[in-house]
Amino acid sequence: MKKSSVKRYQDRRVPFSYALVDLLLPGILLSSMFALFGTGEWKSEYHWMAALSGVFFATCIGVQGGYSRYNERGFAKKLEVTFKTWFLNVFFLLVLLFFYLSKLQFDRWIVSAWVVLTPFFVMFTKVMIQRYSRGFSQAKIQVAVLGRYYEFNELEYAMLEFQGVELTYFSLSDSDDIEHSILKLSPDYLLLNLETPATNKLIKELTHLDLKGIRLIVLHRFMEAFLRKCYIPYDGEDLSYLEKVRPYNPKNYLFKRSIDCVAVLGIGLLCSPLIIYAILKIRLQSPGSILFRQCRVGLGGKNFVALKFRSMHEDAHFDPYTQKEDPRVFPFGNVMRKFRIDELPQLWNVLRGEMHLVGPRTEWDILVEDYEKEIPYYHERHLVRPGISGWAQVCYPYGANLEDARQKLMYDLYYIKHWSVWLELETILRTVVVVLGRKGH
């Protein structure tokens, strides 16, 4: 099945609302900014810019299928389409105004701020619409699941429910006429989750279903499209999950290092008072060393020393996993863990090139040895440098056992396989939400 055939059905009011946002919000935002911060007179140039910006923007988004009832894009792809389309729209708009208006008299600061802020406001408004629409939307994505080879966990069920996906299970042992049973449900997808290889009879029935318009989807495609993680089998029979999991190419690595350097300087300057405050609080509540140094596994499986603010008492007993309300953690240590303040010293590791701002979580070398004994493909995450934050960290709760490590690896491999500047930006935005929501670990 082609990648583009994975579609998410949405309420009719959602794309209509999106079109109104793209058409009206740029003009509303420009007039609001001028009313609040403008010093001159609202001239005809602003009228043309406010009107044409919305028309061009909505038209370009519509041409790309942005108002279809089938929402095929993840959040990162929406970011890419919105930002690229907006800045291209602004470029053509300025060229048009330059040729047709002899004198352009714009407030440069207001127009510059409007150009930068508009795509963020558009994305935020659409996200709010999408969230609200789930409450009144009657359209569901019906998925018939054939077999129970992989059992979805509670988090995965919650994510599917949030997207309006309803799973209906079918077993080969429950019915002799699987084709009739599935056609009776008339699902959008038939998820192949078989415990055993398909028989000739089953293949024949699946072919008939495919010809009758039931879209077949295999497990790893379903998980990447709807759960945004790479499926990893519990046995070694299928190694297709390794497909396209590659290190960053030189261009992508240059993008990531640019993001790293800008972020280190920005976050370092912004958080310098917080860093000083954390040092004083650690000295006050738990005398001893300020920094906690630990050997972590980095690029290519090579070890390096990762830095963190110490959040536990120095004489605490050894346990590789942190538990809820862990007595080893002193009071301000809990605060640092909730808001991830303890990870600020890792900005130095990023600056040294040992880590990225975003990437797979840095793991203790002792734990990695244990994981690789039980998960032979665990080393795949070391194709890239680890990060202070990561896709697995913002999508999955804190891990405390082997199964959690396997689940987080699925998210790490998805991040590596599908990396883009826009997925990077989405991960950073999700990290901010996690930190502000006090869901850090």
Side-chain angles (χ1 to χ4, degrees):
M1 188 175 66
K2 295 181 180 179
K3 185 175 181 179
S4 61
S5 61
V6 177
K7 299 179 179 180
R8 295 169 174 80
Y9 195 67
Q10 59 186 355
D11 189 273
R12 293 180 185 274
R13 289 167 285 188
V14 174
F16 179 73
S17 301
Y18 286 173
L20 286 179
V21 169
D22 293 334
L23 184 64
L24 301 178
L25 188 58
I28 293 173
L29 187 60
L30 178 60
S31 58
S32 300
M33 293 179 67
F34 186 88
L36 292 172
F37 307 108
T39 55
E41 181 183 352
W42 177 273
K43 299 180 182 297
S44 61
E45 290 92 331
Y46 290 108
H47 282 298
W48 284 105
M49 181 168 283
L52 294 178
S53 62
V55 173
F56 287 173
F57 189 43
T59 302
C60 291
I61 294 291
V63 168
Q64 298 178 77
Y67 308 131
S68 169
R69 290 194 66 197
Y70 292 101
N71 180 13
E72 303 178 19
R73 300 186 179 98
F75 185 75
K77 188 63 179 177
K78 289 178 182 177
L79 280 174
E80 179 182 359
V81 171
T82 298
F83 276 76
K84 284 184 175 180
T85 304
W86 171 250
F87 288 117
L88 185 63
N89 168 57
V90 169
F91 173 75
F92 281 115
L93 183 62
L94 291 176
V95 171
L96 182 65
L97 291 176
F98 177 79
F99 280 106
Y100 284 90
L101 295 176
S102 58
K103 294 182 179 180
L104 294 175
Q105 297 180 1
F106 295 119
D107 187 317
R108 293 181 180 179
W109 291 107
I110 289 180
V111 172
S112 298
W114 172 70
V115 169
V116 172
L117 294 177
T118 296
F120 289 100
F121 275 85
V122 168
M123 282 302 305
F124 176 78
T125 305
K126 288 183 177 180
V127 168
M128 292 300 101
I129 290 173
Q130 189 176 29
R131 281 184 173 274
Y132 175 72
S133 70
R134 300 186 194 282
F136 61 74
S137 176
Q138 300 300 317
K140 298 291 184 181
I141 305 172
Q142 294 289 344
V143 178
V145 185
L146 187 58
R148 286 184 175 270
Y149 175 69
Y150 178 83
E151 292 288 349
F152 295 103
N153 56 46
E154 291 183 6
L155 178 63
E156 291 167 335
Y157 276 121
M159 292 179 65
L160 293 172
E161 182 180 0
F162 181 75
Q163 297 178 66
V165 177
E166 290 187 351
L167 302 182
T168 303
Y169 284 89
F170 291 87
S171 174
L172 294 176
S173 59
D174 294 340
S175 174
D176 294 331
D177 192 355
I178 288 293
E179 182 180 347
H180 175 73
S181 300
I182 293 176
L183 283 174
K184 186 177 181 180
L185 177 66
S186 187
D188 296 287
Y189 296 98
L190 173 58
L191 172 57
L192 304 181
N193 190 26
L194 301 173
E195 299 93 333
T196 57
T199 62
N200 290 337
K201 179 178 179 294
L202 178 59
I203 293 174
K204 180 181 178 181
E205 291 179 319
L206 294 177
T207 303
H208 289 171
L209 289 170
D210 192 22
L211 292 174
K212 293 177 181 178
I214 303 297
R215 292 190 289 267
L216 308 182
I217 184 169
V218 293
L219 185 59
H220 76 273
R221 284 283 295 113
F222 178 82
M223 295 186 72
E224 288 191 34
F226 289 93
L227 298 175
R228 303 183 75 184
K229 61 197 293 187
C230 286
Y231 170 66
I232 298 176
Y234 286 80
D235 53 45
E237 294 182 3
D238 183 10
L239 300 179
S240 60
Y241 64 90
L242 295 174
E243 182 185 6
K244 295 183 180 179
V245 179
R246 298 287 183 270
Y248 310 125
N249 59 42
K251 182 185 72 173
N252 289 346
Y253 178 73
L254 180 61
F255 272 123
K256 278 194 69 71
R257 283 305 293 167
S258 299
I259 294 172
D260 291 341
C261 293
V262 172
V264 166
L265 294 175
I267 297 174
L269 290 173
L270 186 65
C271 296
S272 54
L274 182 59
I275 292 173
I276 296 173
Y277 178 76
I279 293 172
L280 296 176
K281 291 291 288 185
I282 294 170
R283 286 193 181 280
L284 180 65
Q285 293 190 3
S286 181
S289 61
I290 299 299
L291 296 177
F292 174 68
R293 296 174 172 84
Q294 192 175 66
C295 189
R296 298 294 179 101
V297 180
L299 179 66
K302 296 180 180 178
N303 293 349
F304 70 98
V305 177
L307 304 176
K308 296 180 73 173
F309 280 132
R310 182 172 56 85
S311 59
M312 294 184 180
H313 295 293
E314 285 197 324
D315 58 351
H317 69 277
F318 172 78
D319 187 344
Y321 296 109
T322 305
Q323 308 300 326
K324 291 184 178 180
E325 300 182 0
D326 200 313
R328 298 174 298 167
V329 182
F330 55 87
F332 186 68
N334 273 320
V335 175
M336 289 194 295
R337 284 172 171 266
K338 284 182 180 179
F339 293 99
R340 299 194 177 182
I341 299 171
D342 59 326
E343 297 182 354
L344 285 175
Q346 291 182 358
L347 292 173
W348 177 247
N349 292 114
V350 175
L351 195 61
R352 285 171 53 90
E354 297 166 332
M355 296 177 62
H356 287 301
L357 180 68
V358 178
R361 180 181 174 85
T362 54
E363 290 289 1
W364 193 11
D365 57 345
I366 296 176
L367 289 178
V368 169
E369 291 178 4
D370 294 337
Y371 291 153
E372 289 188 338
K373 291 177 183 177
E374 302 295 331
I375 312 174
Y377 33 79
Y378 190 80
H379 194 67
E380 284 291 299
R381 69 196 303 276
H382 302 137
L383 286 170
V384 300
R385 290 171 177 80
I388 297 178
S389 182
W391 186 242
Q393 292 165 259
V394 299
C395 292
Y396 193 83
Y398 187 72
N401 53 50
L402 184 64
E403 179 57 26
D404 288 334
R406 185 191 301 272
Q407 290 292 330
K408 299 193 87 166
L409 179 60
M410 295 185 190
Y411 288 104
D412 285 333
L413 294 184
Y414 177 91
Y415 173 82
I416 297 171
K417 181 176 180 179
H418 296 277
W419 187 89
S420 69
V421 173
W422 308 102
L423 181 58
E424 189 90 347
L425 180 57
E426 180 183 355
T427 307
I428 293 172
L429 293 175
R430 283 174 174 254
T431 301
V432 173
V433 173
V434 168
V435 171
L436 294 180
R438 299 169 65 180
K439 298 177 182 178
H441 305 287

